[in-house]
C-alpha cells in the first residue's frame, strides 16, 4: 500500500537532484553564473549540496520499498 508514494517521491527527488546537478555542472563549465547577484562559489556550492541531498533522499525513498 505504501510502495506507490515511496516510488513517486523517490523518483521525483532523483529527477530533481539529477537535473539540478547537471544544470549546475553545465553552468560552471560555460563559466556562467549559477545564480545572478550571488557569490559564484557560494551559489555553485549551495546548488551542488542541494542536488546531492535530493539525490540522497531519492535513494533513501527508493530503498524503503
Amino acid at each position: 500500500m505504501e510502495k506507490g508514494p515511496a516510488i513517486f517521491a523517490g523518483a521525483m527527488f532523483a529527477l530533481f537532484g539529477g537535473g539540478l546537478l547537471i544544470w549546475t555542472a553545465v553552468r560552471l563549465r560555460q563559466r556562467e553564473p549559477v545564480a545572478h547577484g550571488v557569490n559564484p562559489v557560494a551559489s555553485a556550492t549551495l546548488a551542488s549540496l542541494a542536488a546531492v541531498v535530493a539525490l540522497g533522499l531519492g535513494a533513501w525513498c527508493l530503498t524503503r520499498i
Side-chain angles (χ1 to χ4, degrees), residues 2-17:
E2 296 177 359
K3 289 183 180 181
I7 292 170
F8 179 75
M12 291 303 104
F13 276 124
L15 284 172
F16 174 74

Side-chain angles (χ1 to χ4, degrees), residues 22-35:
I22 290 170
W23 180 80
T24 303
V26 168
R27 296 295 286 184
L28 290 174
R29 182 175 290 265
Q30 295 175 348
R31 301 205 186 272
E32 296 286 332
V34 176

Side-chain angles (χ1 to χ4, degrees), residues 13-14 17 49-63:
F13 276 124
L49 181 65
V52 170
V53 167
L55 285 171
L57 282 171
W60 181 78
C61 287
L62 291 174
T63 60

